[in-house]
Amino acid sequence: MSRLGDLGARLYRGEVGLDFVGKRKVWYAFSILITIVAFAGLGVRGLHMGVEFEGGAVFTTEATDVSVERLRDVAEEASGSLPLVQTLGDDGAMRIQVSGLDTETSNETRAAIAEELGVPTEQLNAELIGPSWGSQIANRAWQGLVIFLVLVVVYLAIAFEWRMALAALIALIHDLTITVGVYAIVGFEVTPGTVIGLLTILGYSLYDTVVVFDGLKERTKNHTKQSRFTYAELANRSLNGTLVRSINTSVVALLPVAGLLFIGGGVLGGGMLNDIALSLFVGLTAGAYSSIVIATPLVADFKKREPAVRAHDRKVLAKRAKREEDGIEDEEDEHGDRDGAAFADDDGDDGDDGDDGPRDTREGAGSGPAPVAAGASGPRRQPVSRTRGRGRPSGKRK
């Protein structure tokens, strides 16, 4: 077994572990700090919306020797707005995008760029996007996002419980906020590709959260039937059990996205690749982080408000303190370490809450031979054979 696999097995068995739930306030503080930075980026720099949302014009040139800086100056002087100029591939073609242009200003900008390039105006490819169409696209994007979040909450509430659904919703909003804040700080343009990337990362983040919640649900099933661990401790053990799996899936998903961002966007010139790859890279990283250190600790906090869970935790802590006072070593149940429903019952009974099958109610049945005191003499009583007399005719024995 590999070292990572061995570590995962040890984490699952509870031999080692990281106290994510116990140190949740540290993670909460770090997440709040990141969120504040994201909102500060939004407030100071704002989002650079593309022409698909604000309207404007997009001009595409053929291969040219004119520099990017020169075309930017010409387009800005003609339109009165700051344009976005990007190179397309290695042949020298360029894409000039100017937001907020009407038809007349767009024609003037097109003529100025064509004159600088030394080509007829008709040969310069131009695409004009009206602001009303861009507004419709933006509204549909927001509607799709809201519908997605509502469906997520409903599904998780049915599959798990409403506390997990609420924790997953907070984690998703946390991921969205960080991603949008990074977009504002970096200054990338928000395009339909960005929206696609955002919806994609919500799916990945939700997948990782569901994996963690499934392990949590299994580990804490009937947790009140044991008195060895509190709910928060069981949640932390469950989280450690799925930690390696979450890291593996996140790393495998991040590798191709990193290729899109750093190779496709940086080397090949990007365009929409940058918009999709940046949102995916930031969102996947934030999603892996939130599913581990945000979602599960939030569920533990929500469950602690339940009277039954609070009373059970007090009972566990009281028995633990009593064992420490008596000097009794707290040995973990091998089976209880894996499933909260299989913990040994420490209340003094045998932990049997159901019927395990038919029992022999005759006197002395099932108890085996009576123990003989040390040093006692005399014949030993053997257990009655269950096959004695079987197959003989009824009546008096001869």
Side-chain angles (χ1 to χ4, degrees):
M1 182 183 293
S2 64
R3 292 185 178 180
L4 188 59
D6 180 64
L7 176 61
R10 295 179 64 193
L11 285 169
Y12 182 81
R13 293 192 299 265
E15 297 174 3
V16 295
L18 302 174
D19 193 8
F20 293 106
V21 178
K23 299 180 179 179
R24 59 190 178 277
K25 293 183 179 179
V26 176
W27 301 112
Y28 291 165
F30 184 69
S31 297
I32 292 174
L33 178 62
I34 297 177
T35 305
I36 292 174
V37 173
F39 277 114
L42 284 172
V44 174
R45 302 196 60 175
L47 290 175
H48 186 194
M49 306 300 293
V51 294
E52 294 86 357
F53 298 102
E54 290 187 345
V58 179
F59 308 100
T60 306
T61 72
E62 299 293 336
T64 178
D65 295 332
V66 181
S67 65
V68 173
E69 292 76 12
R70 178 56 186 165
L71 283 180
R72 183 183 294 113
D73 294 339
V74 171
E76 183 177 1
E77 183 178 354
S79 64
S81 301
L82 182 64
L84 176 65
V85 183
Q86 296 174 319
T87 58
L88 302 177
D90 298 330
D91 58 355
M94 296 189 185
R95 180 178 183 269
I96 306 166
Q97 177 180 303
V98 188
S99 302
L101 295 185
D102 53 20
T103 304
E104 182 179 355
T105 309
S106 174
N107 292 333
E108 294 176 358
T109 305
R110 182 184 184 187
I113 295 174
E115 182 181 357
E116 181 65 29
L117 295 174
V119 297
T121 305
E122 293 76 12
Q123 292 186 7
L124 181 62
N125 185 22
E127 181 182 359
L128 182 64
I129 301 175
S132 59
W133 187 84
S135 177
Q136 292 177 2
I137 293 296
N139 290 335
R140 290 177 181 176
W142 280 111
Q143 291 174 2
L145 179 61
V146 172
I147 292 174
F148 174 83
L149 293 177
V150 171
L151 291 178
V152 164
V153 172
V154 172
Y155 167 75
L156 290 179
I158 296 175
F160 298 101
E161 59 172 303
W162 68 266
R163 296 168 187 82
M164 293 185 179
L166 180 58
L169 178 62
I170 295 174
L172 288 177
I173 295 175
H174 169 271
D175 301 341
L176 273 177
T177 304
I178 292 178
T179 305
V180 173
V182 170
Y183 250 84
I185 294 173
V186 174
F188 273 33
E189 186 181 31
V190 179
T191 65
T194 306
V195 178
I196 295 172
L198 288 175
L199 293 177
T200 304
I201 65 167
L202 292 180
Y204 272 107
S205 176
L206 180 63
Y207 166 77
D208 210 14
T209 304
V210 167
V211 169
V212 174
F213 281 175
D214 186 66
L216 175 61
K217 179 182 178 182
E218 184 68 21
R219 182 64 69 93
T220 58
K221 183 181 180 181
N222 297 327
H223 76 282
T224 56
K225 293 184 178 180
Q226 56 84 34
S227 58
R228 195 177 298 278
F229 299 104
T230 65
Y231 185 91
E233 291 169 347
L234 288 177
N236 191 74
R237 296 166 76 88
S238 170
L239 184 57
N240 278 275
T242 57
L243 180 62
V244 173
R245 183 191 305 177
S246 299
I247 294 176
N248 286 339
T249 55
S250 300
V251 170
V252 169
L254 279 172
L255 288 177
V257 174
L260 274 177
L261 179 61
F262 299 110
I263 298 178
V267 178
L268 302 180
M272 187 171 287
L273 283 178
N274 283 333
D275 305 331
I276 298 178
L278 180 63
S279 60
L280 285 176
F281 188 82
V282 176
L284 286 175
T285 306
Y289 167 82
S290 64
S291 64
I292 295 174
V293 302
I294 299 297
T296 301
L298 280 176
V299 174
D301 280 337
F302 294 154
K303 293 289 290 186
K304 286 176 63 176
R305 299 177 182 272
E306 293 184 11
V309 174
R310 198 161 53 239
H312 175 263
D313 288 350
R314 286 198 299 265
K315 172 184 173 183
V316 170
L317 296 177
K319 286 197 172 185
R320 184 176 301 169
K322 186 176 185 302
R323 286 195 296 266
E324 291 178 357
E325 290 179 0
D326 297 340
I328 301 176
E329 184 179 355
D330 189 11
E331 298 179 355
E332 295 180 358
D333 191 314
E334 178 183 358
H335 300 288
D337 194 21
R338 300 190 178 186
D339 190 344
F343 276 98
D345 194 344
D346 293 337
D347 294 331
D349 55 11
D350 60 357
D352 187 7
D353 297 322
D355 190 3
D356 294 331
R359 300 179 180 179
D360 196 343
T361 58
R362 293 176 301 171
E363 182 179 358
S367 59
V372 181
S377 60
R380 297 177 58 187
R381 299 182 58 185
Q382 300 295 331
V384 179
S385 174
R386 296 181 180 273
T387 60
R388 182 177 179 181
R390 187 173 298 176
R392 297 181 180 179
S394 60
K396 184 177 180 182
R397 298 176 183 175
K398 296 181 180 180

